[in-house]
Amino acid sequence: MRDLTAAGTRPLVQVRDLKVHFPIHTGVFRRHTGDVKAVDGVSFDIMAGETLGLVGESGCGKSTVGRALIRLYDPTAGSVVIDGTDIATLDAESLRRIRPTMQMVFQDPQASLNPRLKLAEIIGEPLLEHTAMDADARLKRVHELMDAVGLNRRFANRFSHEFSGGQRQRIGIARALALNPRFIVCDEPIAALDVSIQAQVVNLLEDLQAQFGLTYLFISHDLSMVRHIADRVAVMYLGRIAELSPRDALYANPLHPYARALLSAVPEADPAREATRRRIILKGDVPSPANPPKGCTFCTRCPQVIDICHSQRPVLTEVEPGRHVACHLFNSPTAGSTGSAEVTEPNQQGVSK
Amino acid sequence: MPDGAVPVLDVRGLKTIFRTRSGEVHAVNNVSFHLQPGELLGVVGESGSGKSVTMMSLLGLLPSPPADVRGGEVWLGGRDILKIGVDGLRDVRGAKVGFVFQDPMTSLNPVFTVGNQIMEPLIRHKGMTKAQARIRAAELLELVGIPDAAARLKSYPHQFSGGMRQRVMIAIALACDPDVLIADEPTTALDVTIQAQILELVRDLRTKLGMAIIWITHDLGVIAGIADRVMVMYAGQVVEQAPVAQLFARPQHPYTRALLKTIPKLGGQREARLQVIEGQPPLMTAEPGACAFRARCTHALDRCATENPQRRSLDGAPVGHGHDVACHWESPDA
């Protein structure tokens, strides 16, 4: 995958066949009776300095991928190589030592900040945990971070409840930056914010990326915002990647039927376009990840479903340079192994639209 | 827009305050609007702009204290419903005005079947017997696109998905053929593909039933696709009101203009950098004697600090009927 998606750039994060299953225990004896397959075989790379957008609807597993990538969840199977180290199987102490390179910005800035700590303590906590800085050095670093995210230094002794949603998200970002990470998972960082505040936070994330050379996994259900911030976009459906494409190609011409339906469902703030757009209205709801359909997980709602979709699971295959689609309309079922484009030949059939 | 017709709902000078420990919060300030038969009025604004509180004030749905609907008139069916008392309002809610809330899980009762909850307003307001109500309830479920409707009447809310629950909420709201349907962020809690289903349903129901709808949302995309007319609220006041095409093509209020520029586009030229609205929405603890948006406004004038702008017409039509804006600044493309 690496040579074809961004020639010459080195992948910082390499995910191979990642699975995260949550056990279901039922009955009086809490027997293990099944698994919620939240993430079921996901592979992708994130290049150094790149922003990979990860989109999909609630329950598709996008947040679980984000959390598994920095080992907030233990993967059931697969590997997550960050900067040369496979963190999926790392022991606790080695993991602790590598944590500073990977950080996370959470969705709900209220719930992810300790209400009993002052701002300087919240932002300084990673420094206390991972560095040998003394109190003066820590405060100096906290002030630097506050400058970087646009928080007034005078606020250092205030509590998080004294801030608005947008400012709280800045606190969360400052904390994530404290240890000079290389990779940040942004899990719906703007979903809880008002429209007029969202742009402030997204611009800040972009500025910081340019300033510190950060690599982002940007998880969101806001497809317009992902188009703005991401270089490449992965569309997830029910624990699997349906399509992984460069941003412009995806938005101009989504290939996977789910990606097409998803993009056509997003309302646009333009009445003239809204009146003339053709919408693909999907029937029904997303099936339960505890009991996904056989074959392609999208086969129960797909408007272009064919026989093979009910029996065989489609494999994520490169169908155009840089564009990977898991759909039988595009790949022959024998082509390649999951997500590794090096071993699959580009297959152009069905790329008519 | 049938402007000559008598409006089904006419709200004039509505004022609602909340009493809090840090003083009175002026949540709704002198809000006036009307709703024509068959029309869909979109109400947009950010959290705290007063859009939900306005609609809840109309129907006496706010707990008092702390809320106090302090002034204004709400004309519905020839009566000012702010003056008809608690029992009078009970005959209005659900019968004349249907309400669909944001979160269908918390607004449906988990211990009663869906059928029971659709039948309740029919029995209460229409005087139907249980048997009649059950037949009508099944019709309603079918109308909102729930397959196998008669059997699903026996299901409980938790047995439905989010989108299906919102369909049930719409069925309840429509049960008594209300004159007005108020939908408060009805698709915000739903995924986009499910939202598309619900929007499709509402478009379909409008052509079938022709009721007037007030649609509250913060999503300008939803508004663009569904509304006839739009009212933009900021800090408890209406700052701009116009037919939908007009509002998006030629927004006049600096807030509306900035808001439209701040959302990234799904198609066309991708913006290199997002435009921002600097600052935060104001605390509404004082009676506004100045423009609430002036601190964030790029066109603020001296006058804006001393005089709260009143809505003025831009096209000669009476305020509320054409394009109007509450702003001292006169934009060059007005």
Side-chain angles (χ1 to χ4, degrees):
Chain A
M1 182 180 293
R2 64 178 169 270
D3 300 319
L4 295 167
T5 44
T9 322
R10 200 175 45 84
L12 181 72
V13 180
Q14 290 174 293
V15 181
R16 289 293 172 272
D17 207 23
L18 178 69
K19 291 183 184 175
V20 184
H21 294 181
F22 297 103
I24 306 169
H25 299 280
T26 50
V28 188
F29 301 108
R30 316 305 301 160
R31 279 192 310 141
H32 180 194
T33 51
D35 291 291
V36 174
K37 293 172 179 158
V39 178
D40 200 25
V42 162
S43 305
F44 57 85
D45 287 350
I46 309 177
M47 306 301 152
E50 181 189 45
T51 301
L52 179 73
L54 186 57
V55 300
E57 300 179 278
S58 29
C60 73
K62 56 189 190 300
S63 288
T64 310
V65 168
R67 286 167 176 250
L69 245 53
I70 58 172
R71 263 294 280 282
L72 294 184
Y73 291 142
D74 286 339
T76 310
S79 66
V80 178
V81 177
I82 297 183
D83 206 11
T85 315
D86 185 357
I87 63 136
T89 49
L90 224 52
D91 64 277
E93 184 46 39
S94 319
L95 189 63
R96 208 187 88 85
R97 260 182 276 124
I98 205 170
R99 280 240 179 263
T101 57
M102 49 189 195
Q103 293 291 318
M104 185 149 179
V105 175
F106 297 90
Q107 169 171 0
D108 185 346
Q110 173 71 67
S112 54
L113 301 176
N114 188 335
R116 292 173 185 278
L117 294 186
K118 288 175 181 163
L119 206 156
E121 295 171 304
I122 292 175
I123 300 175
E125 196 171 16
L127 301 169
L128 194 66
E129 183 71 22
H130 285 283
T131 68
M133 286 183 185
D134 61 24
D136 288 341
R138 272 207 309 278
L139 188 65
K140 191 164 163 279
R141 176 76 181 133
V142 166
H143 281 159
E144 273 171 31
L145 290 161
M146 290 177 72
D147 293 345
V149 300
L151 285 167
N152 196 314
R153 288 185 181 196
R154 285 187 291 121
F155 298 159
N157 285 320
R158 296 198 187 172
F159 292 95
S160 63
H161 72 260
E162 298 176 68
F163 295 92
S164 67
Q167 286 172 318
R168 277 188 211 134
Q169 202 54 290
R170 288 174 195 267
I171 301 172
I173 293 170
R175 176 179 59 185
L177 288 175
L179 298 168
N180 292 316
R182 306 193 53 203
F183 173 54
I184 298 183
V185 174
C186 307
D187 187 5
E188 301 263 15
I190 54 162
L193 306 177
D194 266 321
V195 183
S196 74
I197 309 299
Q198 288 183 353
Q200 296 178 3
V201 172
V202 167
N203 282 349
L204 173 66
L205 286 171
E206 288 182 323
D207 291 345
L208 295 172
Q209 182 170 41
Q211 202 178 337
F212 300 113
L214 298 169
T215 304
Y216 289 145
L217 177 70
F218 190 87
I219 302 170
S220 179
H221 64 269
D222 183 339
L223 285 127
S224 310
M225 197 56 93
V226 167
R227 175 174 184 246
H228 174 77
I229 199 171
D231 301 308
R232 288 187 306 142
V233 182
V235 180
M236 277 188 80
Y237 185 81
L238 212 60
R240 298 176 192 177
I241 291 179
E243 178 165 353
L244 171 60
S245 287
R247 173 235 307 148
D248 291 337
L250 178 77
Y251 283 82
N253 177 25
L255 297 177
H256 194 284
Y258 175 66
R260 246 181 255 169
L262 188 67
L263 279 167
S264 86
V266 180
E268 277 190 86
D270 182 345
R273 275 180 73 106
E274 278 290 295
T276 56
R277 272 173 87 200
R278 239 188 75 244
R279 268 201 191 75
I280 305 164
I281 306 279
L282 293 178
K283 300 260 182 300
D285 294 298
V286 184
S288 159
N291 186 19
K294 261 190 71 176
C296 175
T297 48
F298 189 53
C299 72
T300 53
R301 302 172 81 199
C302 182
Q304 288 161 279
V305 65
I306 49 177
D307 283 347
I308 188 176
C309 306
H310 294 288
S311 56
Q312 282 218 17
R313 173 176 171 172
V315 167
L316 193 69
T317 313
E318 183 164 45
V319 298
E320 280 177 36
R323 303 198 64 174
H324 302 77
V325 179
C327 179
H328 290 304
L329 296 173
F330 295 91
N331 348 318
S332 61
T334 47
S337 66
T338 310
S340 29
E342 293 104 316
V343 294
T344 59
E345 67 276 283
N347 182 344
Q348 297 288 339
Q349 63 168 335
V351 197
S352 54
K353 228 186 124 242
Chain B
M1 202 196 328
D3 241 1
V6 182
V8 282
L9 179 71
D10 196 355
V11 177
R12 297 176 196 161
L14 190 71
K15 269 186 193 186
T16 303
I17 58 128
F18 287 97
R19 293 207 180 81
T20 68
R21 254 183 288 176
S22 46
E24 290 181 348
V25 173
H26 296 255
V28 178
N29 216 298
N30 199 16
V31 166
S32 301
F33 65 94
H34 62 94
L35 186 67
Q36 299 294 343
E39 180 186 40
L40 197 149
L41 172 68
V43 182
V44 263
E46 298 178 80
S47 20
S49 64
K51 50 196 194 305
S52 295
V53 175
T54 300
M55 300 310 153
M56 290 173 93
S57 305
L58 305 183
L59 296 176
L61 288 173
L62 294 170
S64 177
D68 181 7
V69 180
R70 194 167 267 186
E73 298 167 12
V74 178
W75 292 90
L76 177 83
R79 291 185 300 172
D80 179 358
I81 60 168
L82 287 186
K83 301 205 165 57
I84 57 177
V86 178
D87 290 335
L89 270 177
R90 213 165 270 157
D91 290 331
V92 169
R93 293 191 288 244
K96 303 264 185 271
V97 182
F99 218 118
V100 178
F101 296 93
Q102 173 171 345
D103 182 354
M105 197 59 215
T106 52
S107 40
L108 289 168
N109 190 329
V111 301
F112 288 103
T113 63
V114 155
N116 212 308
Q117 296 181 63
I118 306 176
M119 286 155 64
E120 188 184 332
L122 292 166
I123 294 166
R124 165 74 173 76
H125 293 300
K126 294 272 176 185
M128 287 187 183
T129 64
K130 268 193 157 178
Q132 288 169 324
R134 188 167 297 119
I135 294 166
R136 177 76 184 126
E139 288 170 13
L140 283 161
L141 271 194
E142 201 168 316
L143 180 72
V144 296
I146 292 187
D148 200 12
R152 293 310 301 264
L153 287 178
K154 297 194 190 79
S155 303
Y156 289 87
H158 75 265
Q159 293 169 302
F160 289 84
S161 66
M164 286 295 166
R165 271 183 224 134
Q166 204 54 294
R167 287 173 192 262
V168 171
M169 281 299 297
I170 294 171
I172 296 173
L174 294 177
C176 298
D177 299 313
D179 300 325
V180 179
L181 178 70
I182 299 177
D184 187 356
E185 304 254 12
T187 59
T188 304
L190 306 176
D191 279 317
V192 275
T193 62
I194 308 298
Q195 168 171 283
Q197 292 174 355
I198 298 288
L199 293 176
E200 197 72 4
L201 170 71
V202 170
R203 286 193 192 102
D204 186 40
L205 290 174
R206 279 185 73 196
T207 48
K208 273 190 199 150
L209 308 174
M211 72 276 196
I213 302 175
I214 296 175
W215 192 284
I216 304 173
T217 182
H218 66 274
D219 187 334
L220 288 155
V222 170
I223 284 290
I226 201 168
D228 299 316
R229 201 152 58 82
V230 188
M231 186 164 97
V232 183
M233 291 190 71
Y234 186 80
Q237 302 177 64
V238 178
V239 293
E240 185 161 6
Q241 189 275 138
V244 66
Q246 177 85 6
L247 186 95
F248 282 89
R250 293 202 297 144
Q252 296 299 307
H253 196 283
Y255 174 64
T256 320
R257 294 161 78 103
L259 201 58
L260 282 168
K261 278 193 199 136
T262 192
I263 10 178
K265 287 195 283 293
L266 192 66
Q269 182 68 39
R270 185 178 151 272
E271 53 295 298
R273 194 169 172 82
L274 293 178
Q275 299 243 7
V276 300
I277 307 179
E278 296 294 347
Q280 306 288 333
L283 300 167
M284 298 178 287
T285 43
E287 180 100 31
C291 175
F293 188 61
R294 73 182 185 290
R296 307 174 76 187
C297 184
T298 45
H299 299 287
L301 312 167
D302 290 345
R303 220 178 137 189
C304 305
T306 55
E307 189 187 337
N308 191 20
Q310 298 300 303
R311 287 166 72 183
R312 59 182 167 89
S313 169
L314 291 161
D315 50 10
V319 165
H321 290 262
H323 190 171
D324 60 74
V325 64
C327 182
H328 293 308
W329 177 69
E330 299 198 13
S331 92
D333 57 354

PDB file of all heavy atoms in Angstrom, chain B residues 19-41:
ATOM      1  N   ARG B  19     -35.279  32.768  35.649  1.00  0.00           N
ATOM      2  CA  ARG B  19     -34.698  33.325  36.870  1.00  0.00           C
ATOM      3  C   ARG B  19     -33.594  32.385  37.332  1.00  0.00           C
ATOM      4  O   ARG B  19     -33.837  31.209  37.574  1.00  0.00           O
ATOM      5  CB  ARG B  19     -35.771  33.430  37.951  1.00  0.00           C
ATOM      6  CG  ARG B  19     -36.823  34.441  37.612  1.00  0.00           C
ATOM      7  CD  ARG B  19     -37.467  35.021  38.863  1.00  0.00           C
ATOM      8  NE  ARG B  19     -38.468  35.994  38.458  1.00  0.00           N
ATOM      9  CZ  ARG B  19     -39.706  35.667  38.068  1.00  0.00           C
ATOM     10  NH1 ARG B  19     -40.082  34.401  38.088  1.00  0.00           N
ATOM     11  NH2 ARG B  19     -40.549  36.583  37.679  1.00  0.00           N
ATOM     12  N   THR B  20     -32.382  32.912  37.434  1.00  0.00           N
ATOM     13  CA  THR B  20     -31.277  32.104  37.921  1.00  0.00           C
ATOM     14  C   THR B  20     -30.604  32.838  39.072  1.00  0.00           C
ATOM     15  O   THR B  20     -30.915  34.001  39.330  1.00  0.00           O
ATOM     16  CB  THR B  20     -30.214  31.870  36.821  1.00  0.00           C
ATOM     17  OG1 THR B  20     -29.583  33.117  36.543  1.00  0.00           O
ATOM     18  CG2 THR B  20     -30.826  31.321  35.558  1.00  0.00           C
ATOM     19  N   ARG B  21     -29.689  32.138  39.722  1.00  0.00           N
ATOM     20  CA  ARG B  21     -29.013  32.758  40.863  1.00  0.00           C
ATOM     21  C   ARG B  21     -28.212  33.993  40.452  1.00  0.00           C
ATOM     22  O   ARG B  21     -28.026  34.909  41.214  1.00  0.00           O
ATOM     23  CB  ARG B  21     -28.110  31.733  41.556  1.00  0.00           C
ATOM     24  CG  ARG B  21     -28.708  31.270  42.876  1.00  0.00           C
ATOM     25  CD  ARG B  21     -27.771  30.318  43.559  1.00  0.00           C
ATOM     26  NE  ARG B  21     -27.739  29.038  42.856  1.00  0.00           N
ATOM     27  CZ  ARG B  21     -26.934  28.038  43.189  1.00  0.00           C
ATOM     28  NH1 ARG B  21     -26.080  28.176  44.173  1.00  0.00           N
ATOM     29  NH2 ARG B  21     -26.966  26.899  42.527  1.00  0.00           N
ATOM     30  N   SER B  22     -27.735  33.956  39.202  1.00  0.00           N
ATOM     31  CA  SER B  22     -26.960  35.118  38.757  1.00  0.00           C
ATOM     32  C   SER B  22     -27.832  36.109  37.986  1.00  0.00           C
ATOM     33  O   SER B  22     -27.356  36.837  37.128  1.00  0.00           O
ATOM     34  CB  SER B  22     -25.787  34.653  37.904  1.00  0.00           C
ATOM     35  OG  SER B  22     -26.219  33.703  36.960  1.00  0.00           O
ATOM     36  N   GLY B  23     -29.123  36.123  38.288  1.00  0.00           N
ATOM     37  CA  GLY B  23     -29.997  37.114  37.678  1.00  0.00           C
ATOM     38  C   GLY B  23     -30.885  36.516  36.602  1.00  0.00           C
ATOM     39  O   GLY B  23     -30.902  35.308  36.390  1.00  0.00           O
ATOM     40  N   GLU B  24     -31.620  37.400  35.932  1.00  0.00           N
ATOM     41  CA  GLU B  24     -32.549  36.936  34.910  1.00  0.00           C
ATOM     42  C   GLU B  24     -31.819  36.718  33.591  1.00  0.00           C
ATOM     43  O   GLU B  24     -31.014  37.533  33.172  1.00  0.00           O
ATOM     44  CB  GLU B  24     -33.648  37.976  34.704  1.00  0.00           C
ATOM     45  CG  GLU B  24     -34.589  38.065  35.894  1.00  0.00           C
ATOM     46  CD  GLU B  24     -35.693  39.082  35.663  1.00  0.00           C
ATOM     47  OE1 GLU B  24     -35.590  39.862  34.704  1.00  0.00           O
ATOM     48  OE2 GLU B  24     -36.645  39.075  36.452  1.00  0.00           O
ATOM     49  N   VAL B  25     -32.136  35.593  32.940  1.00  0.00           N
ATOM     50  CA  VAL B  25     -31.580  35.330  31.614  1.00  0.00           C
ATOM     51  C   VAL B  25     -32.685  35.563  30.595  1.00  0.00           C
ATOM     52  O   VAL B  25     -33.750  34.953  30.679  1.00  0.00           O
ATOM     53  CB  VAL B  25     -31.042  33.890  31.506  1.00  0.00           C
ATOM     54  CG1 VAL B  25     -30.627  33.581  30.075  1.00  0.00           C
ATOM     55  CG2 VAL B  25     -29.875  33.691  32.454  1.00  0.00           C
ATOM     56  N   HIS B  26     -32.420  36.457  29.669  1.00  0.00           N
ATOM     57  CA  HIS B  26     -33.430  36.787  28.661  1.00  0.00           C
ATOM     58  C   HIS B  26     -33.296  35.817  27.494  1.00  0.00           C
ATOM     59  O   HIS B  26     -32.629  36.089  26.508  1.00  0.00           O
ATOM     60  CB  HIS B  26     -33.255  38.233  28.203  1.00  0.00           C
ATOM     61  CG  HIS B  26     -33.483  39.203  29.316  1.00  0.00           C
ATOM     62  ND1 HIS B  26     -34.613  39.959  29.411  1.00  0.00           N
ATOM     63  CD2 HIS B  26     -32.736  39.498  30.408  1.00  0.00           C
ATOM     64  CE1 HIS B  26     -34.553  40.697  30.513  1.00  0.00           C
ATOM     65  NE2 HIS B  26     -33.423  40.433  31.136  1.00  0.00           N
ATOM     66  N   ALA B  27     -33.962  34.674  27.632  1.00  0.00           N
ATOM     67  CA  ALA B  27     -33.760  33.589  26.684  1.00  0.00           C
ATOM     68  C   ALA B  27     -34.483  33.839  25.368  1.00  0.00           C
ATOM     69  O   ALA B  27     -33.995  33.463  24.300  1.00  0.00           O
ATOM     70  CB  ALA B  27     -34.224  32.271  27.287  1.00  0.00           C
ATOM     71  N   VAL B  28     -35.658  34.435  25.443  1.00  0.00           N
ATOM     72  CA  VAL B  28     -36.410  34.770  24.238  1.00  0.00           C
ATOM     73  C   VAL B  28     -36.778  36.233  24.345  1.00  0.00           C
ATOM     74  O   VAL B  28     -37.389  36.653  25.329  1.00  0.00           O
ATOM     75  CB  VAL B  28     -37.691  33.919  24.097  1.00  0.00           C
ATOM     76  CG1 VAL B  28     -38.471  34.329  22.855  1.00  0.00           C
ATOM     77  CG2 VAL B  28     -37.349  32.438  24.043  1.00  0.00           C
ATOM     78  N   ASN B  29     -36.381  37.016  23.353  1.00  0.00           N
ATOM     79  CA  ASN B  29     -36.555  38.444  23.480  1.00  0.00           C
ATOM     80  C   ASN B  29     -37.275  39.037  22.290  1.00  0.00           C
ATOM     81  O   ASN B  29     -36.703  39.228  21.239  1.00  0.00           O
ATOM     82  CB  ASN B  29     -35.181  39.095  23.642  1.00  0.00           C
ATOM     83  CG  ASN B  29     -35.281  40.252  24.590  1.00  0.00           C
ATOM     84  OD1 ASN B  29     -35.990  41.210  24.310  1.00  0.00           O
ATOM     85  ND2 ASN B  29     -34.613  40.141  25.713  1.00  0.00           N
ATOM     86  N   ASN B  30     -38.564  39.310  22.508  1.00  0.00           N
ATOM     87  CA  ASN B  30     -39.344  40.000  21.497  1.00  0.00           C
ATOM     88  C   ASN B  30     -39.327  39.249  20.163  1.00  0.00           C
ATOM     89  O   ASN B  30     -38.976  39.813  19.133  1.00  0.00           O
ATOM     90  CB  ASN B  30     -38.807  41.428  21.330  1.00  0.00           C
ATOM     91  CG  ASN B  30     -39.830  42.320  20.651  1.00  0.00           C
ATOM     92  OD1 ASN B  30     -41.014  41.961  20.576  1.00  0.00           O
ATOM     93  ND2 ASN B  30     -39.385  43.457  20.158  1.00  0.00           N
ATOM     94  N   VAL B  31     -39.702  37.986  20.207  1.00  0.00           N
ATOM     95  CA  VAL B  31     -39.704  37.171  18.996  1.00  0.00           C
ATOM     96  C   VAL B  31     -41.093  37.170  18.356  1.00  0.00           C
ATOM     97  O   VAL B  31     -42.088  36.905  19.035  1.00  0.00           O
ATOM     98  CB  VAL B  31     -39.260  35.719  19.312  1.00  0.00           C
ATOM     99  CG1 VAL B  31     -39.574  34.793  18.149  1.00  0.00           C
ATOM    100  CG2 VAL B  31     -37.780  35.695  19.639  1.00  0.00           C
ATOM    101  N   SER B  32     -41.146  37.527  17.093  1.00  0.00           N
ATOM    102  CA  SER B  32     -42.407  37.514  16.352  1.00  0.00           C
ATOM    103  C   SER B  32     -42.229  36.709  15.076  1.00  0.00           C
ATOM    104  O   SER B  32     -41.225  36.846  14.389  1.00  0.00           O
ATOM    105  CB  SER B  32     -42.812  38.945  15.956  1.00  0.00           C
ATOM    106  OG  SER B  32     -42.943  39.745  17.098  1.00  0.00           O
ATOM    107  N   PHE B  33     -43.197  35.862  14.796  1.00  0.00           N
ATOM    108  CA  PHE B  33     -43.206  35.170  13.504  1.00  0.00           C
ATOM    109  C   PHE B  33     -44.593  34.612  13.268  1.00  0.00           C
ATOM    110  O   PHE B  33     -45.428  34.570  14.167  1.00  0.00           O
ATOM    111  CB  PHE B  33     -42.164  34.050  13.471  1.00  0.00           C
ATOM    112  CG  PHE B  33     -42.418  32.926  14.439  1.00  0.00           C
ATOM    113  CD1 PHE B  33     -43.109  31.790  14.043  1.00  0.00           C
ATOM    114  CD2 PHE B  33     -41.979  33.014  15.756  1.00  0.00           C
ATOM    115  CE1 PHE B  33     -43.343  30.755  14.936  1.00  0.00           C
ATOM    116  CE2 PHE B  33     -42.215  31.983  16.648  1.00  0.00           C
ATOM    117  CZ  PHE B  33     -42.897  30.847  16.242  1.00  0.00           C
ATOM    118  N   HIS B  34     -44.834  34.221  12.040  1.00  0.00           N
ATOM    119  CA  HIS B  34     -46.120  33.602  11.728  1.00  0.00           C
ATOM    120  C   HIS B  34     -45.876  32.405  10.838  1.00  0.00           C
ATOM    121  O   HIS B  34     -44.804  32.261  10.251  1.00  0.00           O
ATOM    122  CB  HIS B  34     -47.031  34.608  11.020  1.00  0.00           C
ATOM    123  CG  HIS B  34     -46.467  35.056   9.709  1.00  0.00           C
ATOM    124  ND1 HIS B  34     -46.792  34.471   8.519  1.00  0.00           N
ATOM    125  CD2 HIS B  34     -45.548  35.995   9.414  1.00  0.00           C
ATOM    126  CE1 HIS B  34     -46.113  35.030   7.548  1.00  0.00           C
ATOM    127  NE2 HIS B  34     -45.346  35.969   8.060  1.00  0.00           N
ATOM    128  N   LEU B  35     -46.881  31.562  10.756  1.00  0.00           N
ATOM    129  CA  LEU B  35     -46.753  30.337   9.987  1.00  0.00           C
ATOM    130  C   LEU B  35     -47.988  30.221   9.113  1.00  0.00           C
ATOM    131  O   LEU B  35     -49.114  30.244   9.616  1.00  0.00           O
ATOM    132  CB  LEU B  35     -46.664  29.157  10.968  1.00  0.00           C
ATOM    133  CG  LEU B  35     -46.381  27.783  10.401  1.00  0.00           C
ATOM    134  CD1 LEU B  35     -44.980  27.729   9.817  1.00  0.00           C
ATOM    135  CD2 LEU B  35     -46.523  26.735  11.497  1.00  0.00           C
ATOM    136  N   GLN B  36     -47.775  30.133   7.813  1.00  0.00           N
ATOM    137  CA  GLN B  36     -48.904  30.049   6.877  1.00  0.00           C
ATOM    138  C   GLN B  36     -49.329  28.586   6.709  1.00  0.00           C
ATOM    139  O   GLN B  36     -48.529  27.683   6.932  1.00  0.00           O
ATOM    140  CB  GLN B  36     -48.498  30.631   5.517  1.00  0.00           C
ATOM    141  CG  GLN B  36     -48.103  32.099   5.552  1.00  0.00           C
ATOM    142  CD  GLN B  36     -49.265  33.013   5.895  1.00  0.00           C
ATOM    143  OE1 GLN B  36     -50.438  32.636   5.824  1.00  0.00           O
ATOM    144  NE2 GLN B  36     -48.957  34.233   6.297  1.00  0.00           N
ATOM    145  N   PRO B  37     -50.577  28.365   6.290  1.00  0.00           N
ATOM    146  CA  PRO B  37     -51.018  26.984   6.093  1.00  0.00           C
ATOM    147  C   PRO B  37     -50.111  26.252   5.096  1.00  0.00           C
ATOM    148  O   PRO B  37     -49.754  26.811   4.064  1.00  0.00           O
ATOM    149  CB  PRO B  37     -52.428  27.141   5.507  1.00  0.00           C
ATOM    150  CG  PRO B  37     -52.868  28.499   5.878  1.00  0.00           C
ATOM    151  CD  PRO B  37     -51.633  29.338   5.993  1.00  0.00           C
ATOM    152  N   GLY B  38     -49.722  25.054   5.434  1.00  0.00           N
ATOM    153  CA  GLY B  38     -48.938  24.222   4.524  1.00  0.00           C
ATOM    154  C   GLY B  38     -47.472  24.599   4.408  1.00  0.00           C
ATOM    155  O   GLY B  38     -46.718  23.987   3.652  1.00  0.00           O
ATOM    156  N   GLU B  39     -47.050  25.583   5.167  1.00  0.00           N
ATOM    157  CA  GLU B  39     -45.694  26.089   5.019  1.00  0.00           C
ATOM    158  C   GLU B  39     -44.718  25.381   5.960  1.00  0.00           C
ATOM    159  O   GLU B  39     -45.102  24.943   7.048  1.00  0.00           O
ATOM    160  CB  GLU B  39     -45.730  27.584   5.356  1.00  0.00           C
ATOM    161  CG  GLU B  39     -44.391  28.265   5.245  1.00  0.00           C
ATOM    162  CD  GLU B  39     -44.458  29.711   5.721  1.00  0.00           C
ATOM    163  OE1 GLU B  39     -45.143  30.004   6.725  1.00  0.00           O
ATOM    164  OE2 GLU B  39     -43.801  30.536   5.097  1.00  0.00           O
ATOM    165  N   LEU B  40     -43.444  25.289   5.552  1.00  0.00           N
ATOM    166  CA  LEU B  40     -42.429  24.784   6.470  1.00  0.00           C
ATOM    167  C   LEU B  40     -41.452  25.911   6.797  1.00  0.00           C
ATOM    168  O   LEU B  40     -40.727  26.394   5.937  1.00  0.00           O
ATOM    169  CB  LEU B  40     -41.673  23.586   5.893  1.00  0.00           C
ATOM    170  CG  LEU B  40     -40.901  22.790   6.966  1.00  0.00           C
ATOM    171  CD1 LEU B  40     -40.822  21.313   6.600  1.00  0.00           C
ATOM    172  CD2 LEU B  40     -39.511  23.319   7.232  1.00  0.00           C
ATOM    173  N   LEU B  41     -41.514  26.323   8.061  1.00  0.00           N
ATOM    174  CA  LEU B  41     -40.649  27.400   8.534  1.00  0.00           C
ATOM    175  C   LEU B  41     -39.456  26.777   9.243  1.00  0.00           C
ATOM    176  O   LEU B  41     -39.611  26.043  10.209  1.00  0.00           O
ATOM    177  CB  LEU B  41     -41.428  28.310   9.497  1.00  0.00           C
ATOM    178  CG  LEU B  41     -40.609  29.378  10.229  1.00  0.00           C
ATOM    179  CD1 LEU B  41     -40.104  30.443   9.264  1.00  0.00           C
ATOM    180  CD2 LEU B  41     -41.430  30.035  11.332  1.00  0.00           C
TER     181      LEU B  41
END
